[in-house]
Amino acid sequence: GYQLYPRITTDINQNIPSPPNDTLYSFDFASGTPSTWSNSGSSTNAVWEYRGTSTTPNNTIGSRGAYVGSRGPIASLSATNGFMIFDSDFLDNGGVAGAFGQGNAPAPHSSTLYSGVLNFSTNPNVIIQLNSYFRTFASGAQIIISTDGGATYLDSITLHQSLAVNQSSASDTIVQVNLSSYIGGQSNVKVGFHFNGNNPLNYNVNGDAYYFWMIDDVKFIKQHNVTFQVDMRNVTAGYNTPEVNGTFNDWCGNCNAMTDANNDSIWEVTIPIVGGTHEFKYAADNWLIQESLQPGMSCVVTNSGFTNREITFSSDTIIPVVCWESCVACCSPTAATDVQTACDSYTWIDGV
């Protein structure tokens, strides 16, 4: 068995590319359920289905339940070659409105699609990324985790927690979850995609299970340690703790706070991040103050009216120290006795 530890995750609606060498495992279900994967449920028929080009129904069909409405299949990048679905709606009613409990696997029911063994022994920082299309009535979409080859599943992460009764995620939703604290450095990992139709967390007092969960393009991607450094000597506004915000943390505010261990006014933080190109900027005290960066500066990019710093990397990276609101370092006099005089009269000019 396994315990349920619900955790908030990030749902995003864009594919975040990573360097090819950073993708450790990738499953697009082009040829069906992978041979090392397994599938089990609370009853014989309460199992995940593979939808491919030659299956019946095929991958142009999403849920077959009575209450699917106009909803179609998952809109993943590789949906044209197949995806996986647990169709709770159909399993309970057989596609007939009002026929509650008369399907092949009446609710309440649950089912888990298990991966094969995955080896992350040389990768301490790992995320999972997947297309996830989920609609709930009184059900949960959960990732369960084993580090002993499937003998026990002691952790779970609940996705799409913001959905209310009868709501669904977008059909093209991509979910990313940082699994580093669970599977980083582990060599005997199995991950399960668990449709919990037993009304977990009391989603709905009026019933169990329903409607569906479709997944596709499951990837396990390694992260790189990126060190950010900012010199705060030129900041005149009051502040307590600087932070770095960017596309890699959803501009979250103070979730990546920085420290100044030697009190030299240079603050830093190291964050594991998926390789690629990211925008970011420095702020402080949960956006109480933030950098004002000007278009045309050498280290920035302007998109949709927002000007931010930009970094591209494919390995562990230490970003050079920069002055707040600048692309270059702050004043650094060579003679210690001249520090106060030199810096009082120093005017920085952005590097180009």
Side-chain angles (χ1 to χ4, degrees), residues 3 9 16 19 57-58 68 71 91 104 120 141 158 165 167 181 184 192 196 200 220 237 265 274 279 297 317:
Q3 301 171 357
T9 63
I16 297 182
N58 64 23
V68 64
R71 298 172 184 85
L91 290 171
N104 289 332
F120 300 106
T158 300
V165 173
Q167 287 187 336
S181 62
N196 189 332
F220 294 86
S265 293
V274 173
E279 295 182 32
M297 293 170 64
T317 300

Side-chain angles (χ1 to χ4, degrees), residues 16-45:
I16 297 182
S18 60
N21 291 338
D22 288 353
T23 300
L24 304 171
Y25 295 96
S26 180
F27 305 96
D28 68 357
F29 308 109
S31 302
T33 307
S35 60
T36 59
W37 289 39
S38 59
N39 189 355
S40 67
S42 53
S43 65
T44 301
N45 294 319

Side-chain angles (χ1 to χ4, degrees), residues 103-126:
N104 289 332
H109 47 218
S110 296
S111 184
T112 307
L113 178 66
Y114 296 97
S115 75
V117 173
L118 308 170
N119 184 357
F120 300 106
S121 58
T122 60
N123 299 106
N125 300 313
V126 182

Side-chain angles (χ1 to χ4, degrees), residues 50-62 64 73 79 82-83 85:
Y50 169 66
R51 297 282 172 80
T53 57
S54 301
T55 61
T56 303
N58 64 23
N59 57 321
T60 65
I61 304 298
R64 294 182 288 164
F83 60 89
I85 178 173

